[in-house]
Amino acid sequence: MSKNVKVKRGLKLSFKGEAEKILEKTPLSKTYAIKPPNFHSIVPKTTVKEGEKVLAGDELFYSKYSEHTRFVSPVSGIVKEIVRGAKRKILEIRIEADKEISYKDFGSLDPLKASAEEVKSKVFSSGLGVFIKQRPYDILANAEDTPKSIYISAFNTAPIVGDLEFILKDKQAHFQTGINVLTKLTEGQVYLGVEANSNSYLKKLDHAELINVSGPHPAGNVGTLIHETEPINQGERVWTVGAEDVAIIGELFSTGKYNAERTVAVTGESAKNRKYYKTLIGAEIQSFVGEVEANSRFISGDVLTGEKVDANNYINFYDNELSVIPEGDNYRMFGWLPFKDNHVHSMSKTSLSWLFPNKKYSVNTNLNGEERALVVTGEMEEVMPLDIYPMELLKACMVGDIEKMENLGIYEVIPEDFALVDYINTSKIEAQEIIRNGLDLMITEVG
């Protein structure tokens, strides 16, 4: 049984710099880092000290407000440094890796034969719980909750991102086991979003209800899938899991090992070796990025929702992409004139690029303007497939009007659903940041 979701509103963005479908295994990087700021609203309590020896799967820290939420080491080695910022906030826990990884043995378990309580206990006690996020609010799942359904998207429609079907092609068995695990965590359905027009092996998996997705970005977003199948109402909980993370969950149940393998697609025009690299969660960026052009920006994640990182830093916990694009510190002479730069992508048809919908365009970090008054243009509604009023919701978040935020659908959205609004809006407001602040206010005031 499957459902079809056809999205009409949105925007197809074709940028230069896609990764070739070549998978390369990288050598172990010297150090790895788990960064608590990657996990929103978490206050970490460390369980290790600098100089302490750990195995892959050993606990590094847990959440102060939920002892069931545990964060474990991706590699074996020595805890080299606990990096702290202002007010002694923990920014990174760095582990110097052994030359050969040793794993903590969690023991195997067949999820289809085990009880729901056994499966949930194993997921959260082994550190796999951090791969599961909760909607509303886009925070880590609470082990004490039972979601009404669980969603996985294996179809990423954002520009120049990794192909999840390619990333999972060698992990089909573990991915299936991961789905079997997730079926024990909910009394509802486990939904899997796939590309409608493909003949993917993902359509032959068991115990997941398929959602055949078609349309422009953000058709592949989990938020779009939820909205089109089982919209979230006040008081309800839905869980979401990244596609490759489902395979990590399945592998631990099959082998007893916490194998934090991560396939990272290096994309963007400034990267010269644009491929897929098999590495581990928290690896050094320099260990796999290869040669890049000068004056480039490194983004952990995709170009619409990713986070700017330093070239000497580490890949973020959940990311399957490293985007490397030119810094936009150049200025277009008379760039405000319509039809002057016809090589620039424009949704509002101020360049002739709209005549060539399949052409690929260069992208850099230029904003092409500065923040200005928020005016009614109707452009936000054109790229928002969810049945909400995006501008009104942003205004409600900006003034902190909780009643209006609830009425306008704050429970259904997270920042990534407003990534295209960030891209196209002429007001140059930070829509994703505004939504994140609105969600944080809801956590504080409503819970």
Side-chain angles (χ1 to χ4, degrees), residues 371-375 380 390-402 404-405 408 410 425 427-439 441:
E371 190 169 330
R372 62 201 73 162
L374 185 58
V375 294
M380 293 185 187
M391 177 173 280
E392 286 77 2
L393 179 55
L394 286 170
K395 287 180 176 178
C397 290
M398 291 167 79
V399 299
D401 188 330
I402 290 175
K404 278 192 175 178
M405 288 159 65
L408 290 166
I410 188 69
N425 87 84
S427 302
K428 308 298 177 185
I429 59 169
E430 299 288 348
Q432 294 186 77
E433 184 180 336
I434 293 169
I435 292 296
R436 181 68 266 173
N437 292 338
L439 292 170
L441 179 65

PDB file of all heavy atoms in Angstrom, residues 371-375 380 390-402 404-405 408 410 425 427-439 441:
ATOM      1  N   GLU A 371      18.741  43.794   4.420  1.00  0.00           N
ATOM      2  CA  GLU A 371      17.428  43.659   5.049  1.00  0.00           C
ATOM      3  C   GLU A 371      16.641  44.961   4.924  1.00  0.00           C
ATOM      4  O   GLU A 371      17.187  46.040   5.118  1.00  0.00           O
ATOM      5  CB  GLU A 371      17.588  43.284   6.521  1.00  0.00           C
ATOM      6  CG  GLU A 371      16.274  42.903   7.174  1.00  0.00           C
ATOM      7  CD  GLU A 371      16.473  42.290   8.547  1.00  0.00           C
ATOM      8  OE1 GLU A 371      17.511  41.655   8.752  1.00  0.00           O
ATOM      9  OE2 GLU A 371      15.572  42.452   9.388  1.00  0.00           O
ATOM     10  N   ARG A 372      15.387  44.806   4.565  1.00  0.00           N
ATOM     11  CA  ARG A 372      14.531  45.980   4.378  1.00  0.00           C
ATOM     12  C   ARG A 372      13.125  45.673   4.886  1.00  0.00           C
ATOM     13  O   ARG A 372      12.907  44.607   5.457  1.00  0.00           O
ATOM     14  CB  ARG A 372      14.509  46.358   2.900  1.00  0.00           C
ATOM     15  CG  ARG A 372      13.937  45.262   2.025  1.00  0.00           C
ATOM     16  CD  ARG A 372      14.368  45.392   0.600  1.00  0.00           C
ATOM     17  NE  ARG A 372      15.763  45.015   0.434  1.00  0.00           N
ATOM     18  CZ  ARG A 372      16.319  44.708  -0.730  1.00  0.00           C
ATOM     19  NH1 ARG A 372      15.624  44.773  -1.817  1.00  0.00           N
ATOM     20  NH2 ARG A 372      17.586  44.353  -0.809  1.00  0.00           N
ATOM     21  N   ALA A 373      12.206  46.574   4.667  1.00  0.00           N
ATOM     22  CA  ALA A 373      10.850  46.409   5.198  1.00  0.00           C
ATOM     23  C   ALA A 373      10.201  45.127   4.664  1.00  0.00           C
ATOM     24  O   ALA A 373      10.411  44.742   3.514  1.00  0.00           O
ATOM     25  CB  ALA A 373      10.007  47.612   4.815  1.00  0.00           C
ATOM     26  N   LEU A 374       9.424  44.481   5.540  1.00  0.00           N
ATOM     27  CA  LEU A 374       8.708  43.267   5.146  1.00  0.00           C
ATOM     28  C   LEU A 374       7.407  43.669   4.463  1.00  0.00           C
ATOM     29  O   LEU A 374       6.470  44.140   5.107  1.00  0.00           O
ATOM     30  CB  LEU A 374       8.425  42.426   6.392  1.00  0.00           C
ATOM     31  CG  LEU A 374       7.793  41.051   6.210  1.00  0.00           C
ATOM     32  CD1 LEU A 374       8.644  40.178   5.311  1.00  0.00           C
ATOM     33  CD2 LEU A 374       7.604  40.374   7.567  1.00  0.00           C
ATOM     34  N   VAL A 375       7.390  43.516   3.154  1.00  0.00           N
ATOM     35  CA  VAL A 375       6.220  43.973   2.395  1.00  0.00           C
ATOM     36  C   VAL A 375       5.475  42.789   1.793  1.00  0.00           C
ATOM     37  O   VAL A 375       6.051  41.712   1.602  1.00  0.00           O
ATOM     38  CB  VAL A 375       6.630  44.941   1.261  1.00  0.00           C
ATOM     39  CG1 VAL A 375       7.202  46.218   1.828  1.00  0.00           C
ATOM     40  CG2 VAL A 375       7.638  44.268   0.336  1.00  0.00           C
ATOM     41  N   MET A 380       6.297  34.525  -1.025  1.00  0.00           N
ATOM     42  CA  MET A 380       6.463  33.440  -0.047  1.00  0.00           C
ATOM     43  C   MET A 380       5.451  32.328  -0.294  1.00  0.00           C
ATOM     44  O   MET A 380       5.762  31.147  -0.195  1.00  0.00           O
ATOM     45  CB  MET A 380       6.290  33.976   1.377  1.00  0.00           C
ATOM     46  CG  MET A 380       7.359  34.938   1.826  1.00  0.00           C
ATOM     47  SD  MET A 380       7.139  35.398   3.554  1.00  0.00           S
ATOM     48  CE  MET A 380       8.387  36.672   3.729  1.00  0.00           C
ATOM     49  N   PRO A 390       2.593  31.780   5.239  1.00  0.00           N
ATOM     50  CA  PRO A 390       3.972  31.940   5.741  1.00  0.00           C
ATOM     51  C   PRO A 390       4.282  33.326   6.279  1.00  0.00           C
ATOM     52  O   PRO A 390       4.911  33.450   7.333  1.00  0.00           O
ATOM     53  CB  PRO A 390       4.833  31.603   4.513  1.00  0.00           C
ATOM     54  CG  PRO A 390       3.933  31.736   3.331  1.00  0.00           C
ATOM     55  CD  PRO A 390       2.572  31.430   3.822  1.00  0.00           C
ATOM     56  N   MET A 391       3.838  34.379   5.572  1.00  0.00           N
ATOM     57  CA  MET A 391       4.169  35.728   6.045  1.00  0.00           C
ATOM     58  C   MET A 391       3.482  36.027   7.370  1.00  0.00           C
ATOM     59  O   MET A 391       4.097  36.579   8.296  1.00  0.00           O
ATOM     60  CB  MET A 391       3.780  36.769   5.000  1.00  0.00           C
ATOM     61  CG  MET A 391       4.035  38.194   5.477  1.00  0.00           C
ATOM     62  SD  MET A 391       3.794  39.439   4.222  1.00  0.00           S
ATOM     63  CE  MET A 391       5.329  39.318   3.344  1.00  0.00           C
ATOM     64  N   GLU A 392       2.227  35.623   7.489  1.00  0.00           N
ATOM     65  CA  GLU A 392       1.502  35.882   8.738  1.00  0.00           C
ATOM     66  C   GLU A 392       2.136  35.100   9.902  1.00  0.00           C
ATOM     67  O   GLU A 392       2.229  35.609  11.025  1.00  0.00           O
ATOM     68  CB  GLU A 392       0.027  35.499   8.579  1.00  0.00           C
ATOM     69  CG  GLU A 392      -0.802  36.462   7.746  1.00  0.00           C
ATOM     70  CD  GLU A 392      -0.562  36.313   6.245  1.00  0.00           C
ATOM     71  OE1 GLU A 392       0.229  35.438   5.848  1.00  0.00           O
ATOM     72  OE2 GLU A 392      -1.171  37.067   5.459  1.00  0.00           O
ATOM     73  N   LEU A 393       2.565  33.871   9.615  1.00  0.00           N
ATOM     74  CA  LEU A 393       3.212  33.077  10.667  1.00  0.00           C
ATOM     75  C   LEU A 393       4.544  33.708  11.086  1.00  0.00           C
ATOM     76  O   LEU A 393       4.868  33.766  12.276  1.00  0.00           O
ATOM     77  CB  LEU A 393       3.434  31.641  10.177  1.00  0.00           C
ATOM     78  CG  LEU A 393       4.119  30.685  11.162  1.00  0.00           C
ATOM     79  CD1 LEU A 393       3.377  30.632  12.493  1.00  0.00           C
ATOM     80  CD2 LEU A 393       4.231  29.279  10.581  1.00  0.00           C
ATOM     81  N   LEU A 394       5.304  34.204  10.126  1.00  0.00           N
ATOM     82  CA  LEU A 394       6.572  34.867  10.460  1.00  0.00           C
ATOM     83  C   LEU A 394       6.319  36.107  11.322  1.00  0.00           C
ATOM     84  O   LEU A 394       7.031  36.347  12.307  1.00  0.00           O
ATOM     85  CB  LEU A 394       7.303  35.259   9.173  1.00  0.00           C
ATOM     86  CG  LEU A 394       7.962  34.117   8.403  1.00  0.00           C
ATOM     87  CD1 LEU A 394       8.442  34.589   7.036  1.00  0.00           C
ATOM     88  CD2 LEU A 394       9.127  33.530   9.178  1.00  0.00           C
ATOM     89  N   LYS A 395       5.304  36.873  10.960  1.00  0.00           N
ATOM     90  CA  LYS A 395       4.994  38.086  11.745  1.00  0.00           C
ATOM     91  C   LYS A 395       4.578  37.708  13.170  1.00  0.00           C
ATOM     92  O   LYS A 395       4.966  38.372  14.140  1.00  0.00           O
ATOM     93  CB  LYS A 395       3.887  38.885  11.060  1.00  0.00           C
ATOM     94  CG  LYS A 395       4.352  39.610   9.798  1.00  0.00           C
ATOM     95  CD  LYS A 395       3.191  40.389   9.180  1.00  0.00           C
ATOM     96  CE  LYS A 395       3.657  41.196   7.981  1.00  0.00           C
ATOM     97  NZ  LYS A 395       2.530  41.921   7.333  1.00  0.00           N
ATOM     98  N   ALA A 396       3.769  36.650  13.305  1.00  0.00           N
ATOM     99  CA  ALA A 396       3.340  36.211  14.641  1.00  0.00           C
ATOM    100  C   ALA A 396       4.544  35.772  15.477  1.00  0.00           C
ATOM    101  O   ALA A 396       4.623  36.047  16.680  1.00  0.00           O
ATOM    102  CB  ALA A 396       2.330  35.057  14.508  1.00  0.00           C
ATOM    103  N   CYS A 397       5.509  35.092  14.826  1.00  0.00           N
ATOM    104  CA  CYS A 397       6.724  34.674  15.540  1.00  0.00           C
ATOM    105  C   CYS A 397       7.555  35.888  15.946  1.00  0.00           C
ATOM    106  O   CYS A 397       8.133  35.922  17.038  1.00  0.00           O
ATOM    107  CB  CYS A 397       7.561  33.751  14.660  1.00  0.00           C
ATOM    108  SG  CYS A 397       6.843  32.120  14.384  1.00  0.00           S
ATOM    109  N   MET A 398       7.623  36.876  15.079  1.00  0.00           N
ATOM    110  CA  MET A 398       8.453  38.058  15.363  1.00  0.00           C
ATOM    111  C   MET A 398       7.932  38.844  16.563  1.00  0.00           C
ATOM    112  O   MET A 398       8.712  39.433  17.309  1.00  0.00           O
ATOM    113  CB  MET A 398       8.504  38.961  14.117  1.00  0.00           C
ATOM    114  CG  MET A 398       9.285  38.330  12.964  1.00  0.00           C
ATOM    115  SD  MET A 398       9.077  39.173  11.375  1.00  0.00           S
ATOM    116  CE  MET A 398      10.173  40.551  11.553  1.00  0.00           C
ATOM    117  N   VAL A 399       6.610  38.843  16.757  1.00  0.00           N
ATOM    118  CA  VAL A 399       6.054  39.586  17.907  1.00  0.00           C
ATOM    119  C   VAL A 399       5.737  38.657  19.080  1.00  0.00           C
ATOM    120  O   VAL A 399       5.278  39.123  20.121  1.00  0.00           O
ATOM    121  CB  VAL A 399       4.789  40.362  17.499  1.00  0.00           C
ATOM    122  CG1 VAL A 399       5.112  41.379  16.426  1.00  0.00           C
ATOM    123  CG2 VAL A 399       3.674  39.418  17.025  1.00  0.00           C
ATOM    124  N   GLY A 400       5.968  37.358  18.907  1.00  0.00           N
ATOM    125  CA  GLY A 400       5.750  36.413  20.007  1.00  0.00           C
ATOM    126  C   GLY A 400       4.300  36.217  20.373  1.00  0.00           C
ATOM    127  O   GLY A 400       3.972  35.993  21.542  1.00  0.00           O
ATOM    128  N   ASP A 401       3.394  36.268  19.396  1.00  0.00           N
ATOM    129  CA  ASP A 401       1.965  36.069  19.650  1.00  0.00           C
ATOM    130  C   ASP A 401       1.663  34.566  19.575  1.00  0.00           C
ATOM    131  O   ASP A 401       1.440  34.006  18.500  1.00  0.00           O
ATOM    132  CB  ASP A 401       1.155  36.833  18.604  1.00  0.00           C
ATOM    133  CG  ASP A 401      -0.339  36.835  18.926  1.00  0.00           C
ATOM    134  OD1 ASP A 401      -0.816  35.868  19.549  1.00  0.00           O
ATOM    135  OD2 ASP A 401      -1.023  37.799  18.555  1.00  0.00           O
ATOM    136  N   ILE A 402       1.650  33.916  20.727  1.00  0.00           N
ATOM    137  CA  ILE A 402       1.532  32.456  20.771  1.00  0.00           C
ATOM    138  C   ILE A 402       0.206  31.959  20.214  1.00  0.00           C
ATOM    139  O   ILE A 402       0.146  30.965  19.484  1.00  0.00           O
ATOM    140  CB  ILE A 402       1.737  31.966  22.223  1.00  0.00           C
ATOM    141  CG1 ILE A 402       3.208  32.172  22.615  1.00  0.00           C
ATOM    142  CG2 ILE A 402       1.360  30.495  22.366  1.00  0.00           C
ATOM    143  CD1 ILE A 402       3.506  31.835  24.038  1.00  0.00           C
ATOM    144  N   LYS A 404      -1.714  33.299  17.937  1.00  0.00           N
ATOM    145  CA  LYS A 404      -1.702  33.362  16.472  1.00  0.00           C
ATOM    146  C   LYS A 404      -0.761  32.319  15.884  1.00  0.00           C
ATOM    147  O   LYS A 404      -1.039  31.718  14.840  1.00  0.00           O
ATOM    148  CB  LYS A 404      -1.292  34.766  16.013  1.00  0.00           C
ATOM    149  CG  LYS A 404      -2.429  35.767  16.014  1.00  0.00           C
ATOM    150  CD  LYS A 404      -2.041  37.044  15.292  1.00  0.00           C
ATOM    151  CE  LYS A 404      -3.249  37.976  15.215  1.00  0.00           C
ATOM    152  NZ  LYS A 404      -2.905  39.248  14.562  1.00  0.00           N
ATOM    153  N   MET A 405       0.363  32.102  16.528  1.00  0.00           N
ATOM    154  CA  MET A 405       1.316  31.092  16.036  1.00  0.00           C
ATOM    155  C   MET A 405       0.653  29.722  15.982  1.00  0.00           C
ATOM    156  O   MET A 405       0.825  28.960  15.028  1.00  0.00           O
ATOM    157  CB  MET A 405       2.560  31.062  16.936  1.00  0.00           C
ATOM    158  CG  MET A 405       3.452  32.297  16.769  1.00  0.00           C
ATOM    159  SD  MET A 405       4.542  32.598  18.181  1.00  0.00           S
ATOM    160  CE  MET A 405       5.593  31.176  18.135  1.00  0.00           C
ATOM    161  N   LEU A 408      -1.884  29.599  13.169  1.00  0.00           N
ATOM    162  CA  LEU A 408      -1.285  29.666  11.834  1.00  0.00           C
ATOM    163  C   LEU A 408      -0.399  28.460  11.507  1.00  0.00           C
ATOM    164  O   LEU A 408       0.229  28.429  10.456  1.00  0.00           O
ATOM    165  CB  LEU A 408      -0.474  30.963  11.701  1.00  0.00           C
ATOM    166  CG  LEU A 408      -1.315  32.239  11.653  1.00  0.00           C
ATOM    167  CD1 LEU A 408      -0.450  33.475  11.870  1.00  0.00           C
ATOM    168  CD2 LEU A 408      -2.060  32.340  10.322  1.00  0.00           C
ATOM    169  N   ILE A 410       2.151  26.676  13.656  1.00  0.00           N
ATOM    170  CA  ILE A 410       3.542  26.576  14.124  1.00  0.00           C
ATOM    171  C   ILE A 410       3.935  25.128  14.456  1.00  0.00           C
ATOM    172  O   ILE A 410       5.092  24.742  14.334  1.00  0.00           O
ATOM    173  CB  ILE A 410       3.763  27.490  15.356  1.00  0.00           C
ATOM    174  CG1 ILE A 410       5.245  27.560  15.732  1.00  0.00           C
ATOM    175  CG2 ILE A 410       2.944  27.001  16.540  1.00  0.00           C
ATOM    176  CD1 ILE A 410       6.114  28.272  14.761  1.00  0.00           C
ATOM    177  N   ASN A 425      12.892  35.728  -0.709  1.00  0.00           N
ATOM    178  CA  ASN A 425      12.169  36.913  -0.246  1.00  0.00           C
ATOM    179  C   ASN A 425      12.983  38.189  -0.455  1.00  0.00           C
ATOM    180  O   ASN A 425      14.183  38.241  -0.169  1.00  0.00           O
ATOM    181  CB  ASN A 425      11.715  36.741   1.199  1.00  0.00           C
ATOM    182  CG  ASN A 425      12.752  37.158   2.194  1.00  0.00           C
ATOM    183  OD1 ASN A 425      12.877  38.313   2.538  1.00  0.00           O
ATOM    184  ND2 ASN A 425      13.529  36.171   2.662  1.00  0.00           N
ATOM    185  N   SER A 427      12.677  40.905   1.088  1.00  0.00           N
ATOM    186  CA  SER A 427      12.916  41.637   2.329  1.00  0.00           C
ATOM    187  C   SER A 427      14.226  41.225   2.986  1.00  0.00           C
ATOM    188  O   SER A 427      14.696  41.897   3.904  1.00  0.00           O
ATOM    189  CB  SER A 427      11.763  41.407   3.311  1.00  0.00           C
ATOM    190  OG  SER A 427      10.544  41.806   2.742  1.00  0.00           O
ATOM    191  N   LYS A 428      14.804  40.102   2.529  1.00  0.00           N
ATOM    192  CA  LYS A 428      16.083  39.602   3.052  1.00  0.00           C
ATOM    193  C   LYS A 428      16.033  39.294   4.549  1.00  0.00           C
ATOM    194  O   LYS A 428      17.045  39.391   5.242  1.00  0.00           O
ATOM    195  CB  LYS A 428      17.219  40.603   2.780  1.00  0.00           C
ATOM    196  CG  LYS A 428      17.335  41.050   1.336  1.00  0.00           C
ATOM    197  CD  LYS A 428      17.636  39.915   0.409  1.00  0.00           C
ATOM    198  CE  LYS A 428      17.667  40.370  -1.039  1.00  0.00           C
ATOM    199  NZ  LYS A 428      17.845  39.265  -1.986  1.00  0.00           N
ATOM    200  N   ILE A 429      14.861  38.935   5.053  1.00  0.00           N
ATOM    201  CA  ILE A 429      14.770  38.555   6.463  1.00  0.00           C
ATOM    202  C   ILE A 429      15.273  37.130   6.633  1.00  0.00           C
ATOM    203  O   ILE A 429      15.293  36.341   5.688  1.00  0.00           O
ATOM    204  CB  ILE A 429      13.324  38.661   6.990  1.00  0.00           C
ATOM    205  CG1 ILE A 429      12.403  37.757   6.165  1.00  0.00           C
ATOM    206  CG2 ILE A 429      12.845  40.090   6.975  1.00  0.00           C
ATOM    207  CD1 ILE A 429      11.040  37.585   6.765  1.00  0.00           C
ATOM    208  N   GLU A 430      15.703  36.795   7.846  1.00  0.00           N
ATOM    209  CA  GLU A 430      16.184  35.442   8.157  1.00  0.00           C
ATOM    210  C   GLU A 430      14.991  34.611   8.627  1.00  0.00           C
ATOM    211  O   GLU A 430      14.757  34.458   9.827  1.00  0.00           O
ATOM    212  CB  GLU A 430      17.275  35.501   9.220  1.00  0.00           C
ATOM    213  CG  GLU A 430      18.505  36.282   8.808  1.00  0.00           C
ATOM    214  CD  GLU A 430      19.342  35.543   7.759  1.00  0.00           C
ATOM    215  OE1 GLU A 430      19.095  34.343   7.534  1.00  0.00           O
ATOM    216  OE2 GLU A 430      20.225  36.176   7.153  1.00  0.00           O
ATOM    217  N   ALA A 431      14.239  34.079   7.674  1.00  0.00           N
ATOM    218  CA  ALA A 431      12.994  33.383   8.014  1.00  0.00           C
ATOM    219  C   ALA A 431      13.245  32.146   8.876  1.00  0.00           C
ATOM    220  O   ALA A 431      12.495  31.874   9.825  1.00  0.00           O
ATOM    221  CB  ALA A 431      12.262  32.995   6.726  1.00  0.00           C
ATOM    222  N   GLN A 432      14.291  31.382   8.558  1.00  0.00           N
ATOM    223  CA  GLN A 432      14.557  30.157   9.332  1.00  0.00           C
ATOM    224  C   GLN A 432      14.877  30.489  10.789  1.00  0.00           C
ATOM    225  O   GLN A 432      14.453  29.793  11.710  1.00  0.00           O
ATOM    226  CB  GLN A 432      15.713  29.380   8.706  1.00  0.00           C
ATOM    227  CG  GLN A 432      15.393  28.832   7.323  1.00  0.00           C
ATOM    228  CD  GLN A 432      16.491  27.952   6.785  1.00  0.00           C
ATOM    229  OE1 GLN A 432      16.641  26.808   7.175  1.00  0.00           O
ATOM    230  NE2 GLN A 432      17.273  28.485   5.864  1.00  0.00           N
ATOM    231  N   GLU A 433      15.631  31.557  10.999  1.00  0.00           N
ATOM    232  CA  GLU A 433      15.976  31.963  12.367  1.00  0.00           C
ATOM    233  C   GLU A 433      14.735  32.435  13.119  1.00  0.00           C
ATOM    234  O   GLU A 433      14.567  32.138  14.303  1.00  0.00           O
ATOM    235  CB  GLU A 433      17.021  33.075  12.303  1.00  0.00           C
ATOM    236  CG  GLU A 433      17.547  33.519  13.647  1.00  0.00           C
ATOM    237  CD  GLU A 433      18.575  34.626  13.513  1.00  0.00           C
ATOM    238  OE1 GLU A 433      19.213  34.745  12.456  1.00  0.00           O
ATOM    239  OE2 GLU A 433      18.724  35.383  14.487  1.00  0.00           O
ATOM    240  N   ILE A 434      13.858  33.135  12.428  1.00  0.00           N
ATOM    241  CA  ILE A 434      12.620  33.614  13.065  1.00  0.00           C
ATOM    242  C   ILE A 434      11.742  32.436  13.495  1.00  0.00           C
ATOM    243  O   ILE A 434      11.186  32.414  14.596  1.00  0.00           O
ATOM    244  CB  ILE A 434      11.858  34.541  12.095  1.00  0.00           C
ATOM    245  CG1 ILE A 434      12.660  35.823  11.859  1.00  0.00           C
ATOM    246  CG2 ILE A 434      10.466  34.879  12.623  1.00  0.00           C
ATOM    247  CD1 ILE A 434      12.134  36.675  10.721  1.00  0.00           C
ATOM    248  N   ILE A 435      11.626  31.419  12.622  1.00  0.00           N
ATOM    249  CA  ILE A 435      10.832  30.236  12.974  1.00  0.00           C
ATOM    250  C   ILE A 435      11.472  29.485  14.147  1.00  0.00           C
ATOM    251  O   ILE A 435      10.777  29.031  15.067  1.00  0.00           O
ATOM    252  CB  ILE A 435      10.694  29.307  11.754  1.00  0.00           C
ATOM    253  CG1 ILE A 435       9.828  29.967  10.672  1.00  0.00           C
ATOM    254  CG2 ILE A 435      10.096  27.958  12.149  1.00  0.00           C
ATOM    255  CD1 ILE A 435       8.387  30.222  11.080  1.00  0.00           C
ATOM    256  N   ARG A 436      12.808  29.377  14.144  1.00  0.00           N
ATOM    257  CA  ARG A 436      13.494  28.685  15.259  1.00  0.00           C
ATOM    258  C   ARG A 436      13.219  29.405  16.577  1.00  0.00           C
ATOM    259  O   ARG A 436      12.946  28.778  17.600  1.00  0.00           O
ATOM    260  CB  ARG A 436      14.984  28.630  14.975  1.00  0.00           C
ATOM    261  CG  ARG A 436      15.846  27.917  16.011  1.00  0.00           C
ATOM    262  CD  ARG A 436      15.587  26.422  16.073  1.00  0.00           C
ATOM    263  NE  ARG A 436      14.626  26.066  17.088  1.00  0.00           N
ATOM    264  CZ  ARG A 436      14.116  24.838  17.260  1.00  0.00           C
ATOM    265  NH1 ARG A 436      14.454  23.867  16.472  1.00  0.00           N
ATOM    266  NH2 ARG A 436      13.253  24.583  18.206  1.00  0.00           N
ATOM    267  N   ASN A 437      13.290  30.738  16.547  1.00  0.00           N
ATOM    268  CA  ASN A 437      13.007  31.502  17.771  1.00  0.00           C
ATOM    269  C   ASN A 437      11.550  31.324  18.194  1.00  0.00           C
ATOM    270  O   ASN A 437      11.242  31.263  19.395  1.00  0.00           O
ATOM    271  CB  ASN A 437      13.319  32.983  17.539  1.00  0.00           C
ATOM    272  CG  ASN A 437      14.808  33.233  17.360  1.00  0.00           C
ATOM    273  OD1 ASN A 437      15.640  32.431  17.798  1.00  0.00           O
ATOM    274  ND2 ASN A 437      15.155  34.322  16.706  1.00  0.00           N
ATOM    275  N   GLY A 438      10.647  31.247  17.212  1.00  0.00           N
ATOM    276  CA  GLY A 438       9.238  31.019  17.532  1.00  0.00           C
ATOM    277  C   GLY A 438       9.025  29.661  18.181  1.00  0.00           C
ATOM    278  O   GLY A 438       8.272  29.535  19.156  1.00  0.00           O
ATOM    279  N   LEU A 439       9.682  28.638  17.660  1.00  0.00           N
ATOM    280  CA  LEU A 439       9.570  27.299  18.245  1.00  0.00           C
ATOM    281  C   LEU A 439      10.136  27.270  19.668  1.00  0.00           C
ATOM    282  O   LEU A 439       9.570  26.627  20.563  1.00  0.00           O
ATOM    283  CB  LEU A 439      10.306  26.284  17.365  1.00  0.00           C
ATOM    284  CG  LEU A 439       9.681  26.014  15.987  1.00  0.00           C
ATOM    285  CD1 LEU A 439      10.626  25.180  15.120  1.00  0.00           C
ATOM    286  CD2 LEU A 439       8.345  25.295  16.126  1.00  0.00           C
ATOM    287  N   LEU A 441      10.196  29.715  21.729  1.00  0.00           N
ATOM    288  CA  LEU A 441       9.216  30.384  22.597  1.00  0.00           C
ATOM    289  C   LEU A 441       8.079  29.422  22.951  1.00  0.00           C
ATOM    290  O   LEU A 441       7.616  29.384  24.095  1.00  0.00           O
ATOM    291  CB  LEU A 441       8.664  31.623  21.882  1.00  0.00           C
ATOM    292  CG  LEU A 441       7.615  32.425  22.653  1.00  0.00           C
ATOM    293  CD1 LEU A 441       8.232  33.043  23.912  1.00  0.00           C
ATOM    294  CD2 LEU A 441       7.018  33.528  21.780  1.00  0.00           C
TER     295      LEU A 441
END
